[in-house]
Every structure is written in structure tokens, then in C-alpha cells.
Amino acid sequence: MSVDHTENWSARERLRSEPGTLLEHVSVAVIGIDDSDRICLWGPGAQELFGHGDGALAQHVGLLFPARGPGAGADEADAGPYPADAGPYSADAGPYLADRGRTLGYWRGRLPVRHRDGTVFDCGFRAFTVVSGEDRTVVMALASRSTELDRVKTNLAFLDALFDTCPIGLVMLDQDLRYLHLNQALADMDGLTVEEHIGRRMPDLMAARDTPGLERLLRGVAEEGRPVVGHLLGVRRPEGDQVRSVSLFPLSQAVGTRPGVGGLVVDVTDREAALVEAAESRERLELLDRATARIGTTLDVKVTAGELVDAAVPDFADASVVEVVDWMDEPEIFDPRLPLVTHRIASGTILPPPADELVSGLETVHYPPGSSIHRMLRTGRPIAVAVDTDFVTTTVMHQERARILIDSGLTGILIAPLIARGTVQGLTMFGRAADRPPFTEQDLRLAAELSSRAALCLDNARLYTRVQDIALTLQRALLPTNLATSPHVEVAHRYVPGSHVTLVGGDWYDAISLPGGRVALVVGDVMGHGVPAAAAMGRLRITAKALARRGPEPSELLTELDACAQESGIELATCLYIDYDPGTGRARIARAGHPPPLVRSPDGRVETAGDLPGVPLGVGGHPFHTTEIALSDGAVLALYTDGLVESRGRGIDEGVAAAGAVLSRATDGLEETADRMLSHLLGGPPGDDTVLVLARVRHRPRTGLGAH
């Protein structure tokens, strides 16, 4: 080792012990002593401890020691006095210190030292020998104030006693959450020795009821420095579950090491068991409240089932499915002796593959008699089953599906019936993996409540769907399948039902052949939805068709329809009636509160016709008026209901103008024009039923003596 007396130590940090609450303020002086007992190495720590600057280099080491008095110094090993040949002053302690280092190789002891200002105080020394590059020896001495060392020793002794005798569990973890140090109290809680803990991860070793939650808690302390005080943790033990109060704090980062976690663990099972149960009950109630608010927001069966799955995963379970029963005959009575067929309409999981294939890979599911599903439906109450050989054998019919179930990671399944108004709607299943606690009686009660509320919503949605199907079937039966044809009127028509959010409406249309080659075009809209609106629509359409064939004025026809509406209890309906005569090229128009027709001339100009709107049918007491207009040969009439031109954020006038703009640009046939108008004006599923009728009119050539 080559020692340079002129080396600049002022730019270096002084040597300190590793940071920490006990040692970080203990300064260490580094001194090098050559073969002549002169100082050859003088660090910043030595300057701070003794007060001498770089001028101490090359000085005799006795510079650092005071005159000797009684008991001036002693080895820690034997506490004996300096030898007699050390002289009357402990300045001879410098050579003594160097000699101890040379002859013993390593020496530890305490000596009084003298600061440059004359102050005398005790220091602890460590002396050892190193060999320089020229085969010369140098004694390296490390010195620290005895008071600082005593404080550290006292604190360390306290910590040792604390770990040995404290009845509270104490633990130190590294950044990977592995045990570095723990006391016997914590080892006894876990039922393992201290040695069996060291090097193993706390989340893996401590059988917490919520292992992922414990992992997140520890990570928050280790990585974010966020302390935790009094966190209640459920732990599974062979002799019974425990409740532990856990307090965690980040450990100071030592030089060259990574931060870790310190903790205190107290077994509070007897004191806190009731509080934990109360907390879990609150969580269940909160889950139930959230689920109640989320389930049944629509009258769509699949959406409602999906809401049940979303409410359960991941708060209550790792996976969930909803299945409805495929009843072949009415009444809907469950027979446990027969196989059960269900349709899986909703599913979800947070587990990795193949769990996603397990929950979503089937649409139709078959359960053999004697399955767990049959057992649950026979009692009408939820059951919890373990995913074991017995469950797989009795419930899963296909070997491949059984393998996927075993590989999915699910260890327990809770099966609950969906029963509403005495009818089994289907079933729902909740699954948990091994890192979650098994389903309890409280979980069964929560699942029963969830399923009961969901079943009622599903039944409402099912009844709604049936009524909607009936209304749609009725409406389609009452709407014309083939409109009347005429060589002078070409017709294209469209009917678009409203979206699933609304029931079927009362929109209708017709084209009617009249005496003398005339053609009547009619469009109407009964306010309301469902079967009543569809039935009212059918009555008005049939009445209008019968009245039109008698050839009345359009205003007279609306008057008759108004009387029919009042007699039938139809409170509000709109109607547009047009009587076109191809012989004259003129059309008579009457409106009962309906949007005006659009007329496109052959030159592309579009305008509205029939400027007297009239009052809706069913109001009564108001006359209707007929307006007569001339139509150019090849003109196109557009009749429609308000679903085409009115929407959220767009009024009728704005919608009519938009429809006219699209119609004015039309250059294709009527069918293409109808599709283009629907595409531009609706853009997607309409919120209300929509009718569009396009009619291109032609004049009938005159015949007889006046014709050429």
C-alpha cells in the first residue's frame, strides 16, 4: 500500500458508519501511522475529532494524546494499565497504540485523547496492520468518541433485549418482503421456528385470508414509504382463524442495501373478532347496495345479467356466470329427475387463462340429474361446493370442460338460484381461487339476496321482452306487406323499429288504390308504445283504408278517423293523408298534427306542402282542411313520421330541413334514396319508430278527340 502524505482529503467525505437511527451520527477518524510512529494518513474525520488540520501529517502520533494520569488507558480485553516503560505521559500511548497494531495484528481498546484546544476526552480505538507497496507496514487506527459508541451499544443492547423478551411480534423484512429478523413471539404465532422464517416471503408464509391484500399493503410501505398503524389482518391457522393487528413502517436505507419494512404484530383475535365480523358485514352491505344500484338499469335480459356479473367480480368473487333455464314446456316446473338445459347469457373473470374459456366458452349448458345444480334447485337455496372430483364427476358432462375447470384455478363455487314470483329463472355461479377465503354462511346469505334481486329484474326483463315481441308481432301483422300498385305511382317504403330501450310504437303507413285510377298515400303515428299503441294503429289503418275507398275529401276522412279515435279511447294520434289524381296531376292533402310532406320537383327543388297542420286525432272539436297542389310529372313525395326528423338535440324544423337537403341531392332510384335518407338522418338505431314513404308520381296521358 503506497501512502501519499500530500494526498488531498479535503474533497472526500469523512468516513461514517452506515446510516441509521443508531449509527448515522457516529463519526469515525481514520489515522495512518508509519514505522517511525509518525502520522502518514489523516482523514477529514480525524480533523473533526482532534481539531488538527493537514499539518498533523508527518507529526509524531503522540501529538494526539495528553499527559498521562492515573488510569489513563486500558485494553478492553484486560483493562490493565499502560506498561511502566510507557513514560509519565500518555503521549507515549501513540507508540503503544502503533505497537499493539503491529504485534497483535488487531487491537481494540480505549484511550484518552487531546483535542487541539486542550480538551481531553475518551476514544475507542481499533488498530490493525496493513502492508505498503514497499513492504513497509502501516498501522491503520480508527477512532470514535466513547460517548457515541456507548450510546450505540446501549441502544443495540436494548434492541437485543426487546427482540428476546418482547411479547409483541417484531419483524424486519427486506425489499422483497423476505424475513431478515424476527423475534420468538412472532415465530410462535406462526407455529414455526425463527430459522424457518428467515429468507422466506412474508405474504407466502403468513396464511393471510387476503394474501393479495397483504402483498399490496407491504408493497405500499416498502416502495412508497407509507406507514400503516393497527391494520387488522385475518390469518388462517390449523387451530382456528386469527386476527392480528399489524403496524408497518419503512426501514432506513443503509449504504449499499435496499430499503425494507419493519413491523409489529399483535394477536388480537379475542378482542377484535367481533369487530372484524362487523367490518365484513359492512362490506357485504356496501356490496349489496352497489349491486342494487347497478342491477336492473334496463329491461334487457342480457344487460341485466351482465350487471349482476359486474357487481360480483372482483369484489365478491374471481369469476361469475349467469344462466337462464331453457324450459321446453309451460308451466315452468323443475323436475330433478330430468336433465337441465340452460343458456349462459353473461360471464366474467379476473383469473388468467383458461378461466376465461371456462366461463365464456359455452352458450348452452347441460347438467345431468343428480348434479350440484339439481341439488341447489331442489332446495331453492344457495349452496357452496368445493371444486373436487365429486363435483366435477356429477356436474360436468364433458371431459374437456372438466379439465378446463380443474386447470382454471377455482377452488370453490357458490351456486344460487334465480327465482322470482315462484318461477325459477335460472342460476348464477360465483367462483373463488385458492388465494381467497372459502365461501361462508354470510356469503351464502349475501348471494341469496343478490340473486333474489337480480331474478326479479331478470323476470321483469323477460316479461318486457315477451310483451315487446307480442307488440312487434302485432304491429308487423297490421302493417302492409305489399302496398297498392299503380302505373302512375312508384312507391318505396321503410319501417325501422325503435331501439331496445323503447317498446314498439304506433307508426303506420299505407298506399291505397282509389276509384278513377287515383292513389291515396297515408302515414300516421299513435302516441304511446307497446300492444295498446300497436292495436290502436291497426284500428286506424283499417278504418282509413275502408274510408278511403269511398272517395271522400281528405279533410272528411280525417274527421271520420277523429271520431273513430275518440270512440276507441285513442287520446292522441297524428295522420297525413294525400289523394293523388294522375289524370290532373294534382294532389289533395290533409293533416292531423303530422309533419308536412316534402315535394321534390324534377329540377331538384324541395319544398313542404299542406301548410295547414290541423290538430291530432282524438282531440275532437276542431275541423280539418284540405289543401290542393299541382305536382310535376316525375315529382317525388316524401312522407315520414317524427322518428326520422326529431331526435335529442335536434328539433323537428331542423330535421325537416335536413331531410329536404338529402332529398334534393338524390339522383338514384327511390329505394337507394330511401336508404340514403335513413343513413344520413338516423345514423344509428333510432330512439323511436321511424316510417319513410317515397312516391314518384307520373301524369296519365290524355286520350280521346283532344289528344294528338
Side-chain angles (χ1 to χ4, degrees):
M1 170 180 152
S2 177
V3 180
D4 184 358
H5 293 276
T6 63
E7 182 178 5
N8 182 12
W9 279 76
S10 62
R12 298 187 183 183
E13 293 184 6
R14 65 184 181 183
L15 181 62
R16 282 191 178 275
S17 58
E18 294 182 348
T21 55
L22 294 180
L23 301 176
E24 65 180 354
H25 297 299
V26 178
S27 300
V28 178
V30 181
I31 307 166
I33 307 171
D34 64 13
D35 293 337
S36 301
D37 292 339
R38 294 186 178 275
I39 298 173
C40 62
L41 182 64
W42 188 252
Q47 295 182 22
E48 179 179 335
L49 183 62
F50 296 101
H52 297 281
D54 291 341
L57 285 169
Q59 297 292 321
H60 192 275
V61 70
L63 174 72
L64 309 179
F65 297 90
R68 185 175 63 177
D75 287 353
E76 287 186 0
D78 55 19
Y82 290 123
D85 58 1
Y89 299 101
S90 65
D92 297 326
Y96 177 77
L97 172 66
D99 179 68
R100 296 286 86 185
R102 294 189 193 101
T103 57
L104 300 179
Y106 175 78
W107 178 80
R108 180 182 66 181
R110 294 193 179 192
L111 294 171
V113 299
R114 180 180 60 194
H115 194 270
R116 184 180 182 183
D117 62 7
T119 304
V120 177
F121 54 90
D122 281 348
C123 274
F125 283 90
R126 302 289 187 274
F128 53 92
T129 303
V130 296
V131 180
S132 69
E134 294 79 16
D135 293 331
R136 291 187 303 166
T137 60
V138 173
V139 175
M140 299 296 296
L142 308 180
S144 297
R145 284 181 179 269
S146 295
T147 54
E148 294 179 352
L149 293 175
D150 290 342
R151 178 173 61 85
V152 171
K153 287 183 177 181
T154 300
N155 288 339
L156 290 176
F158 170 77
L159 290 178
D160 288 340
L162 181 65
F163 266 80
D164 288 340
T165 62
C166 182
I168 296 175
L170 303 174
V171 64
M172 293 172 57
L173 307 175
D174 65 14
Q175 194 177 38
D176 295 324
L177 310 182
R178 300 181 186 278
Y179 289 95
L180 291 176
H181 191 25
L182 72 155
N183 65 348
Q184 190 62 45
L186 181 56
D188 292 341
M189 282 188 213
D190 292 337
L192 300 171
T193 65
V194 171
E195 291 74 17
E196 288 172 325
H197 284 77
I198 301 302
R200 300 173 67 179
R201 298 178 74 255
M202 187 178 196
D204 300 336
L205 189 60
M206 184 179 290
R209 295 177 63 185
D210 183 9
T211 299
L214 175 60
E215 177 93 24
R216 290 192 297 270
L217 189 72
L218 292 169
R219 286 292 175 199
V221 179
E223 298 174 3
E224 303 174 19
R226 185 175 63 244
V228 174
V229 177
H231 177 81
L232 296 181
L233 183 69
V235 178
R236 294 190 293 268
R237 299 287 302 135
E239 63 273 14
D241 287 356
Q242 289 182 350
V243 180
R244 299 181 183 179
S245 175
V246 179
S247 297
L248 304 167
F249 49 89
L251 294 177
S252 299
Q253 185 173 357
V255 174
T257 65
R258 296 182 298 174
V261 177
L264 293 84
V265 183
V266 183
D267 184 354
V268 293
T269 303
D270 295 338
R271 187 186 69 193
E272 299 293 340
L275 293 178
V276 171
E277 177 58 32
E280 291 178 349
S281 297
R282 285 196 299 272
E283 290 178 0
R284 295 188 189 99
L285 288 175
E286 291 172 358
L287 172 61
L288 187 59
D289 288 341
R290 292 195 301 270
T292 301
R294 296 171 65 178
I295 299 174
T297 60
T298 71
L299 289 174
D300 184 286
V301 173
K302 290 188 176 181
V303 172
T304 301
E307 291 169 341
L308 173 57
V309 171
D310 292 340
V313 178
D315 292 343
F316 182 66
D318 297 313
S320 178
V321 298
V322 176
E323 299 172 7
V324 293
V325 178
D326 184 15
W327 298 111
M328 302 302 294
D329 299 297
E330 299 283 354
E332 300 170 347
I333 299 176
F334 168 67
D335 187 344
R337 298 169 299 177
L338 299 177
L340 183 67
V341 179
T342 66
H343 291 299
R344 186 166 293 177
I345 59 174
S347 63
T349 182
I350 58 171
L351 297 177
D356 53 347
E357 181 182 355
L358 174 69
V359 300
S360 61
L362 284 181
E363 292 185 1
T364 302
V365 188
H366 298 264
Y367 296 106
S371 71
S372 299
I373 310 301
H374 285 70
R375 179 159 58 93
M376 178 271 300
L377 290 177
R378 188 165 54 247
T379 63
R381 293 189 297 271
I383 62 172
V385 296
V387 179
D388 53 19
T389 303
D390 180 64
F391 173 76
V392 173
T393 302
T394 60
T395 305
V396 184
M397 297 185 63
H398 301 289
Q399 185 175 358
E400 179 63 21
R401 299 297 298 177
R403 183 190 63 79
I404 295 175
L405 173 59
I406 293 173
D407 295 341
S408 67
L410 294 176
T411 57
I413 294 178
L414 193 160
I415 312 169
L418 296 172
I419 301 176
R421 302 181 179 96
T423 300
V424 176
Q425 308 293 320
L427 59 100
T428 180
M429 288 188 273
F430 309 100
R432 287 181 179 175
D435 58 359
R436 285 211 193 209
F439 290 107
T440 64
E441 286 297 325
Q442 292 82 357
D443 292 329
L444 289 174
R445 289 195 289 270
L446 174 61
E449 187 67 25
L450 273 176
S451 301
S452 176
R453 299 190 183 194
L456 186 60
C457 294
L458 285 172
D459 193 45
N460 290 337
R462 186 182 65 154
L463 294 176
Y464 163 86
T465 301
R466 286 184 177 179
V467 172
Q468 188 181 35
D469 290 343
I470 293 171
L472 185 59
T473 301
L474 176 61
Q475 185 187 49
R476 288 173 176 170
L478 295 175
L479 286 174
T481 55
N482 295 303
L483 299 182
T485 60
S486 168
H488 307 296
V489 179
E490 176 191 357
V491 177
H493 55 95
R494 299 286 187 273
Y495 168 73
V496 182
S499 66
H500 68 277
V501 178
T502 58
L503 281 165
V504 172
D507 291 21
W508 57 283
Y509 60 97
D510 211 341
I512 308 166
S513 297
L514 301 180
R518 303 193 326 275
V519 175
L521 301 172
V522 58
V523 171
D525 184 2
V526 177
M527 300 299 105
H529 298 91
V531 173
M537 172 271 290
R539 177 170 297 189
L540 291 179
R541 175 179 172 266
I542 294 171
T543 302
K545 194 164 190 174
L547 291 173
R549 288 173 174 166
R550 289 163 37 190
E553 284 285 328
S555 59
E556 296 174 357
L557 182 140
L558 292 184
T559 299
E560 293 288 340
L561 279 182
D562 182 46
C564 173
Q566 293 181 65
E567 292 172 0
S568 304
I570 301 172
E571 296 181 355
L572 199 63
T574 65
C575 184
L576 168 63
Y577 184 84
I578 299 178
D579 181 346
Y580 171 65
D581 186 350
T584 62
R586 302 186 70 81
R588 294 178 297 169
I589 304 171
R591 288 197 287 154
H594 202 86
L598 296 173
V599 180
R600 182 186 186 276
S601 301
D603 60 4
R605 182 168 47 89
V606 176
E607 58 186 357
T608 60
D611 55 346
L612 296 175
V615 298
L617 303 176
V619 175
H622 297 274
F624 299 96
H625 302 278
T626 299
T627 301
E628 186 171 333
I629 62 172
L631 298 175
S632 302
D633 187 59
V636 175
L637 288 167
L639 294 73
Y640 50 87
T641 56
D642 57 1
L644 181 72
V645 295
E646 186 178 27
S647 63
R648 182 177 298 177
R650 185 180 68 187
I652 289 183
D653 292 341
E654 183 182 353
V656 171
V662 178
L663 183 61
S664 67
R665 297 191 297 268
T667 58
D668 299 327
L670 293 184
E671 298 292 341
E672 294 78 9
T673 300
D675 291 337
R676 185 175 293 106
M677 291 184 69
L678 290 177
S679 175
H680 279 74
L681 296 170
L682 297 183
D688 197 2
D689 288 12
T690 298
V691 162
L692 173 63
V693 177
L694 298 180
R696 178 176 281 115
V697 299
R698 298 292 183 184
H699 293 177
R700 183 172 57 199
R702 294 184 180 182
T703 59
L705 296 177
H708 296 282

